[in-house]
Amino acid sequence: MAAKNEVPPWGLAIAGSTGAVLANALVYPLDIVKTRLQVQIKQHKLDPPRDALDTTHKHYEGTIHAITSILEDEGLVGLYSGMAGSLLGVASTNFAYFYWYSTVRTLYLNRVSQGKHPSTAVELGLGAVAGALAQLFTIPIAVITTRQQTQPKGEKKSMLGTAKEVIDGEDGFAGLWRGIKASLVLVVNPAITYGAYQRLREAMYPDDRALQPHQAFLLGALSKSLATIVTQPLIVAKVGLQSRPPPARQGKPFKSFLEVMQFIIEKEGPLGLYKGVAPQIVKGIMVQGILMMTKERVELLFVLLFRYVRKMRREQLEQLAALAAKKVEEARVAVTKT
């Protein structure tokens, strides 16, 4: 878009991360709920019986039951467990993603397509490259946040304490990058999201202009819903990799996301790969809608700011040029008089 060409990659990155932090802060309890639904495993008849008083591995029947249970067991603070780390991860991941996405897309438009809009396949590829670069730098925060969100009430730890717990595990320092393969595979999620966003925008609002807030919200919600439905099994597997192993594993961590998926199918059937999909979609719709709505507004502010700065610079240059011309003229008159 013409307006976006006026904003450098770091400006687009700030706009994207600002929208992401605001959106995730507003719907954070849904993030807790979807994470806990995704890591829980139904009690199997061959598993050892659980203590009825043990709330560490309490089974939630759905979104509403999870919310009410967390409120009963942990209070309101339980719905915001690990929020600081999560928002830090959201800010860093989205900053990195939008920075690299705008960078690689601009390079493609300028050097490969000569300004022509990229195809859907290319759009997905650009998004995947940006997502992979972002994940490599930010996945440790995601691992720590997932652990914090699934820690029982009596075992809550700070970000540093949780990081130490991960490092003290059998994987050592590499444990902070648990799920990196699944995360790299999951770059198709933002790739599908932003690829679909671009395509839907061109189809529904083809004019080269800033979107209205409700238009950006609608596009964000539609694109994120599509991406979530397609990638939900991988999302569940990634959360399983990064959280504590379920009781049936007797402390043995998963080694790959395929192992997680096989375990879930064995215990719960194929539909187990879609557990937590309801809060995941609701959260995704709200987050992506608010994110894109906020991002469009922040980008517009940057455009106005840069235009104002350029205008001020131009006026200053014109004043300097006028002053220089006046001095030259005064010097010429002085020479003429002598």
Side-chain angles (χ1 to χ4, degrees):
M1 300 301 170
K4 290 186 179 181
N5 291 336
E6 301 183 44
V7 184
W10 61 263
L12 296 173
I14 290 175
S17 58
T18 299
V21 168
L22 175 62
N24 279 275
L26 291 174
V27 301
Y28 188 76
L30 281 175
D31 196 33
I32 288 283
V33 170
K34 68 92 180 171
T35 299
R36 295 200 182 183
L37 286 172
Q38 289 168 353
V39 299
Q40 70 180 10
I41 300 293
K42 289 182 179 179
Q43 179 77 1
H44 194 271
K45 61 182 180 181
L46 298 179
D47 293 336
R50 299 176 185 170
D51 186 343
L53 299 177
D54 179 22
T55 60
T56 303
H57 304 295
K58 187 170 185 176
H59 188 84
Y60 305 117
E61 301 299 329
T63 303
I64 301 301
H65 182 239
I67 292 174
T68 55
S69 297
I70 292 171
L71 287 172
E72 289 175 3
D73 298 335
E74 305 171 42
L76 184 61
V77 69
L79 290 175
Y80 292 89
S81 179
M83 183 174 178
S86 177
L87 294 185
L88 175 62
V90 164
S92 58
T93 300
N94 280 272
F95 184 92
Y97 179 84
F98 282 108
Y99 179 85
W100 289 114
Y101 180 71
S102 59
T103 298
V104 297
R105 195 170 192 273
T106 299
L107 287 173
Y108 179 84
L109 291 173
N110 292 341
R111 299 187 180 183
V112 179
S113 69
Q114 303 300 317
K116 294 181 181 178
H117 287 298
S119 65
T120 301
V122 171
E123 200 77 72
L124 292 175
L126 295 175
V129 171
L133 290 169
Q135 285 295 328
L136 288 173
F137 293 101
T138 60
I139 193 171
I141 300 176
V143 172
I144 293 169
T145 299
T146 300
R147 285 291 185 95
Q148 284 188 303
Q149 290 178 338
T150 55
Q151 285 168 347
K153 183 178 180 180
E155 301 179 30
K156 300 291 185 184
K157 295 183 178 68
S158 65
M159 286 191 68
L160 290 177
T162 304
K164 185 176 184 302
E165 177 185 274
V166 174
I167 295 171
D168 289 343
E170 66 176 53
D171 292 331
F173 194 75
L176 292 174
W177 273 266
R178 279 189 67 82
I180 182 63
K181 293 180 181 178
S183 295
L184 292 177
V185 173
L186 270 171
V187 299
V188 298
N189 186 292
I192 293 171
T193 300
Y194 297 110
Y197 184 89
Q198 291 290 344
R199 281 290 166 264
L200 289 170
R201 177 172 183 165
E202 293 167 8
M204 296 171 65
Y205 309 109
D207 296 335
D208 188 12
R209 57 181 174 80
L211 295 176
Q212 295 297 315
H214 70 278
Q215 294 172 333
F217 186 96
L218 176 61
L219 290 178
L222 290 174
S223 58
K224 191 61 178 181
S225 297
L226 174 63
T228 299
I229 291 171
V230 172
T231 60
Q232 180 66 11
L234 292 174
I235 294 173
V236 172
K238 176 188 172 185
V239 172
L241 267 176
Q242 295 177 339
S243 63
R244 292 180 177 181
R249 298 276 298 181
Q250 298 180 337
K252 181 183 178 183
F254 293 104
K255 295 297 184 182
S256 69
F257 65 94
L258 287 178
E259 186 180 5
V260 179
M261 295 171 75
Q262 290 171 352
F263 180 81
I264 292 173
I265 292 173
E266 177 186 333
K267 295 287 186 179
E268 305 179 65
L271 289 180
L273 296 175
Y274 282 86
K275 57 187 175 181
V277 70
Q280 181 85 40
I281 289 179
V282 173
K283 179 212 168 192
I285 288 175
M286 295 299 295
V287 166
Q288 200 64 31
I290 297 171
L291 188 160
M292 300 311 296
M293 183 172 63
T294 306
K295 178 175 175 288
E296 291 286 339
R297 297 298 97 188
V298 175
E299 283 178 2
L300 182 58
L301 288 176
F302 272 116
V303 169
L304 296 175
L305 174 62
F306 291 144
R307 287 179 180 176
Y308 176 75
V309 170
R310 282 196 295 269
K311 179 183 176 183
M312 294 296 294
R313 286 180 177 175
R314 185 170 61 250
E315 290 177 352
Q316 289 176 349
L317 289 174
E318 288 173 353
Q319 291 175 357
L320 289 173
L323 181 61
K326 181 180 178 180
K327 293 294 184 182
V328 170
E329 181 62 21
E330 290 176 350
R332 187 186 66 78
V333 172
V335 170
T336 301
K337 287 182 178 181
T338 57

